[in-house]
Short mmCIF file of all heavy atoms in Angstrom, two decimals:
data_model
loop_
_atom_site.label_atom_id
_atom_site.label_comp_id
_atom_site.label_asym_id
_atom_site.label_seq_id
_atom_site.Cartn_x
_atom_site.Cartn_y
_atom_site.Cartn_z
N ASP J 1 -13.72 -45.34 -34.37
CA ASP J 1 -13.87 -45.46 -32.92
C ASP J 1 -13.82 -46.93 -32.45
O ASP J 1 -14.01 -47.19 -31.27
CB ASP J 1 -15.16 -44.80 -32.46
CG ASP J 1 -16.43 -45.44 -33.04
OD1 ASP J 1 -16.29 -46.41 -33.79
OD2 ASP J 1 -17.54 -44.98 -32.72
N TYR J 2 -13.48 -47.84 -33.37
CA TYR J 2 -13.46 -49.25 -32.99
C TYR J 2 -12.43 -49.54 -31.92
O TYR J 2 -12.69 -50.26 -30.94
CB TYR J 2 -13.21 -50.14 -34.19
CG TYR J 2 -13.21 -51.62 -33.89
CD1 TYR J 2 -14.42 -52.32 -33.80
CD2 TYR J 2 -12.02 -52.31 -33.68
CE1 TYR J 2 -14.41 -53.66 -33.48
CE2 TYR J 2 -12.03 -53.68 -33.37
CZ TYR J 2 -13.23 -54.34 -33.29
OH TYR J 2 -13.23 -55.68 -32.99
N ASP J 3 -11.21 -48.98 -32.07
CA ASP J 3 -10.19 -49.22 -31.06
C ASP J 3 -10.58 -48.68 -29.70
O ASP J 3 -10.36 -49.34 -28.67
CB ASP J 3 -8.86 -48.59 -31.51
CG ASP J 3 -8.18 -49.42 -32.62
OD1 ASP J 3 -8.52 -50.61 -32.77
OD2 ASP J 3 -7.29 -48.84 -33.34
N ALA J 4 -11.17 -47.52 -29.70
CA ALA J 4 -11.59 -46.91 -28.40
C ALA J 4 -12.68 -47.70 -27.72
O ALA J 4 -12.73 -47.82 -26.48
CB ALA J 4 -12.04 -45.47 -28.63
N THR J 5 -13.62 -48.27 -28.54
CA THR J 5 -14.76 -48.93 -27.94
C THR J 5 -14.52 -50.44 -27.66
O THR J 5 -15.26 -51.05 -26.91
CB THR J 5 -15.98 -48.82 -28.84
OG1 THR J 5 -15.68 -49.34 -30.14
CG2 THR J 5 -16.38 -47.35 -28.99
N PHE J 6 -13.45 -51.00 -28.28
CA PHE J 6 -13.16 -52.43 -28.01
C PHE J 6 -11.68 -52.71 -27.83
O PHE J 6 -11.24 -53.15 -26.77
CB PHE J 6 -13.72 -53.32 -29.11
CG PHE J 6 -13.39 -54.76 -28.89
CD1 PHE J 6 -13.93 -55.47 -27.83
CD2 PHE J 6 -12.53 -55.45 -29.74
CE1 PHE J 6 -13.62 -56.80 -27.58
CE2 PHE J 6 -12.18 -56.79 -29.52
CZ PHE J 6 -12.74 -57.45 -28.45
N THR J 7 -10.87 -52.46 -28.85
CA THR J 7 -9.45 -52.85 -28.82
C THR J 7 -8.74 -52.37 -27.57
O THR J 7 -7.97 -53.15 -26.95
CB THR J 7 -8.73 -52.34 -30.08
OG1 THR J 7 -9.43 -52.81 -31.24
CG2 THR J 7 -7.30 -52.76 -30.11
N ASP J 8 -8.90 -51.12 -27.25
CA ASP J 8 -8.16 -50.52 -26.12
C ASP J 8 -8.85 -50.66 -24.77
O ASP J 8 -8.31 -50.15 -23.76
CB ASP J 8 -7.90 -49.04 -26.40
CG ASP J 8 -7.04 -48.82 -27.66
OD1 ASP J 8 -6.25 -49.73 -27.96
OD2 ASP J 8 -7.15 -47.79 -28.30
N THR J 9 -9.98 -51.32 -24.70
CA THR J 9 -10.64 -51.53 -23.42
C THR J 9 -9.94 -52.69 -22.71
O THR J 9 -9.28 -53.53 -23.32
CB THR J 9 -12.15 -51.88 -23.61
OG1 THR J 9 -12.25 -53.13 -24.28
CG2 THR J 9 -12.83 -50.78 -24.40
N LEU J 10 -10.13 -52.73 -21.41
CA LEU J 10 -9.55 -53.82 -20.61
C LEU J 10 -10.07 -55.17 -21.08
O LEU J 10 -9.31 -56.12 -21.26
CB LEU J 10 -9.89 -53.62 -19.13
CG LEU J 10 -9.23 -54.54 -18.12
CD1 LEU J 10 -7.72 -54.47 -18.20
CD2 LEU J 10 -9.70 -54.19 -16.70
N LEU J 11 -11.40 -55.26 -21.30
CA LEU J 11 -11.99 -56.52 -21.79
C LEU J 11 -11.41 -56.91 -23.17
O LEU J 11 -11.08 -58.06 -23.37
CB LEU J 11 -13.49 -56.37 -21.89
CG LEU J 11 -14.27 -57.55 -22.48
CD1 LEU J 11 -14.07 -58.81 -21.64
CD2 LEU J 11 -15.75 -57.23 -22.60
N GLY J 12 -11.33 -55.95 -24.04
CA GLY J 12 -10.79 -56.21 -25.37
C GLY J 12 -9.37 -56.74 -25.35
O GLY J 12 -9.02 -57.71 -26.06
N ARG J 13 -8.54 -56.18 -24.47
CA ARG J 13 -7.14 -56.66 -24.36
C ARG J 13 -7.09 -58.06 -23.81
O ARG J 13 -6.31 -58.91 -24.28
CB ARG J 13 -6.32 -55.70 -23.48
CG ARG J 13 -6.11 -54.32 -24.10
CD ARG J 13 -5.02 -53.56 -23.43
NE ARG J 13 -5.28 -53.33 -21.98
CZ ARG J 13 -5.94 -52.30 -21.51
NH1 ARG J 13 -6.40 -51.35 -22.35
NH2 ARG J 13 -6.10 -52.15 -20.21
N TRP J 14 -7.90 -58.34 -22.80
CA TRP J 14 -7.89 -59.70 -22.22
C TRP J 14 -8.36 -60.72 -23.23
O TRP J 14 -7.70 -61.77 -23.39
CB TRP J 14 -8.84 -59.73 -21.01
CG TRP J 14 -8.25 -59.15 -19.76
CD1 TRP J 14 -6.92 -58.99 -19.46
CD2 TRP J 14 -8.97 -58.69 -18.61
NE1 TRP J 14 -6.76 -58.43 -18.21
CE2 TRP J 14 -8.01 -58.25 -17.69
CE3 TRP J 14 -10.30 -58.59 -18.32
CZ2 TRP J 14 -8.35 -57.72 -16.42
CZ3 TRP J 14 -10.68 -58.08 -17.07
CH2 TRP J 14 -9.71 -57.64 -16.13
N LEU J 15 -9.41 -60.45 -23.95
CA LEU J 15 -9.94 -61.44 -24.89
C LEU J 15 -8.95 -61.65 -26.04
O LEU J 15 -8.73 -62.81 -26.49
CB LEU J 15 -11.29 -60.95 -25.48
CG LEU J 15 -12.48 -60.96 -24.50
CD1 LEU J 15 -13.69 -60.28 -25.12
CD2 LEU J 15 -12.81 -62.37 -24.06
N ARG J 16 -8.32 -60.59 -26.53
CA ARG J 16 -7.37 -60.74 -27.60
C ARG J 16 -6.13 -61.53 -27.14
O ARG J 16 -5.59 -62.34 -27.90
CB ARG J 16 -6.96 -59.37 -28.14
CG ARG J 16 -6.47 -59.42 -29.59
CD ARG J 16 -6.13 -58.00 -30.10
NE ARG J 16 -7.27 -57.15 -30.27
CZ ARG J 16 -8.04 -57.10 -31.39
NH1 ARG J 16 -7.73 -57.89 -32.39
NH2 ARG J 16 -9.05 -56.27 -31.43
N ASP J 17 -5.71 -61.31 -25.92
CA ASP J 17 -4.57 -62.08 -25.41
C ASP J 17 -4.89 -63.57 -25.31
O ASP J 17 -4.02 -64.41 -25.61
CB ASP J 17 -4.18 -61.56 -24.02
CG ASP J 17 -3.43 -60.23 -24.09
OD1 ASP J 17 -3.01 -59.82 -25.17
OD2 ASP J 17 -3.32 -59.57 -23.01
N ILE J 18 -6.10 -63.91 -24.88
CA ILE J 18 -6.50 -65.34 -24.77
C ILE J 18 -6.47 -65.97 -26.15
O ILE J 18 -6.00 -67.11 -26.30
CB ILE J 18 -7.89 -65.46 -24.14
CG1 ILE J 18 -7.80 -65.02 -22.66
CG2 ILE J 18 -8.39 -66.90 -24.21
CD1 ILE J 18 -9.19 -64.89 -22.00
N VAL J 19 -6.91 -65.25 -27.16
CA VAL J 19 -6.88 -65.78 -28.52
C VAL J 19 -5.42 -65.98 -28.98
O VAL J 19 -5.04 -67.05 -29.47
CB VAL J 19 -7.60 -64.83 -29.51
CG1 VAL J 19 -7.37 -65.25 -30.94
CG2 VAL J 19 -9.10 -64.79 -29.22
N ARG J 20 -4.62 -64.96 -28.80
CA ARG J 20 -3.24 -64.99 -29.32
C ARG J 20 -2.40 -66.09 -28.72
O ARG J 20 -1.51 -66.65 -29.38
CB ARG J 20 -2.55 -63.62 -29.08
CG ARG J 20 -3.15 -62.53 -29.98
CD ARG J 20 -2.57 -61.19 -29.62
NE ARG J 20 -3.03 -60.13 -30.55
CZ ARG J 20 -2.71 -58.85 -30.42
NH1 ARG J 20 -1.94 -58.44 -29.43
NH2 ARG J 20 -3.18 -57.99 -31.33
N GLU J 21 -2.66 -66.43 -27.47
CA GLU J 21 -1.91 -67.51 -26.82
C GLU J 21 -2.09 -68.85 -27.54
O GLU J 21 -1.30 -69.78 -27.31
CB GLU J 21 -2.32 -67.61 -25.34
CG GLU J 21 -1.88 -66.45 -24.47
CD GLU J 21 -2.53 -66.49 -23.11
OE1 GLU J 21 -3.27 -67.45 -22.81
OE2 GLU J 21 -2.29 -65.56 -22.32
N ARG J 22 -3.13 -68.95 -28.34
CA ARG J 22 -3.46 -70.24 -28.97
C ARG J 22 -3.33 -70.24 -30.50
O ARG J 22 -3.75 -71.19 -31.15
CB ARG J 22 -4.90 -70.63 -28.55
CG ARG J 22 -4.95 -70.92 -27.06
CD ARG J 22 -6.34 -70.88 -26.49
NE ARG J 22 -6.31 -71.26 -25.07
CZ ARG J 22 -5.94 -70.46 -24.07
NH1 ARG J 22 -5.64 -69.21 -24.31
NH2 ARG J 22 -5.91 -70.88 -22.82
N ILE J 23 -2.74 -69.21 -31.06
CA ILE J 23 -2.53 -69.15 -32.50
C ILE J 23 -1.19 -69.77 -32.85
O ILE J 23 -0.15 -69.32 -32.34
CB ILE J 23 -2.57 -67.70 -33.02
CG1 ILE J 23 -3.89 -67.04 -32.62
CG2 ILE J 23 -2.35 -67.65 -34.52
CD1 ILE J 23 -5.12 -67.76 -33.16
N PRO J 24 -1.13 -70.83 -33.70
CA PRO J 24 0.12 -71.55 -33.95
C PRO J 24 1.00 -70.91 -35.02
O PRO J 24 1.64 -71.61 -35.82
CB PRO J 24 -0.39 -72.94 -34.42
CG PRO J 24 -1.69 -72.60 -35.11
CD PRO J 24 -2.30 -71.48 -34.33
N VAL J 25 1.12 -69.60 -35.04
CA VAL J 25 1.91 -68.92 -36.04
C VAL J 25 3.41 -69.14 -35.81
O VAL J 25 3.85 -69.20 -34.65
CB VAL J 25 1.59 -67.42 -36.06
CG1 VAL J 25 1.88 -66.74 -34.74
CG2 VAL J 25 2.30 -66.72 -37.20
N GLN J 26 4.14 -69.28 -36.89
CA GLN J 26 5.59 -69.43 -36.80
C GLN J 26 6.25 -68.35 -37.69
O GLN J 26 5.68 -67.87 -38.65
CB GLN J 26 6.00 -70.82 -37.37
CG GLN J 26 5.43 -72.00 -36.56
CD GLN J 26 6.01 -72.12 -35.17
OE1 GLN J 26 7.19 -71.84 -34.94
NE2 GLN J 26 5.19 -72.51 -34.20
N ALA J 27 7.46 -67.98 -37.29
CA ALA J 27 8.22 -67.02 -38.08
C ALA J 27 8.36 -67.53 -39.50
O ALA J 27 8.65 -68.71 -39.72
CB ALA J 27 9.58 -66.77 -37.47
#
């Protein structure tokens, strides 16, 4: 139930997006 209670919530998506914008991963 982790995705339902956090990953797929509006708050979870916003927080994850903020993190991802700052990850210096390269192909």
Side-chain angles (χ1 to χ4, degrees):
D1 61 2
Y2 182 81
D3 284 341
T5 57
F6 178 66
T7 303
D8 297 333
T9 65
L10 188 58
L11 175 61
R13 292 197 300 271
W14 281 339
L15 291 173
R16 205 178 291 274
D17 285 346
I18 293 171
V19 171
R20 289 175 176 177
E21 290 170 3
R22 292 161 176 81
I23 303 302
V25 61
Q26 299 291 324

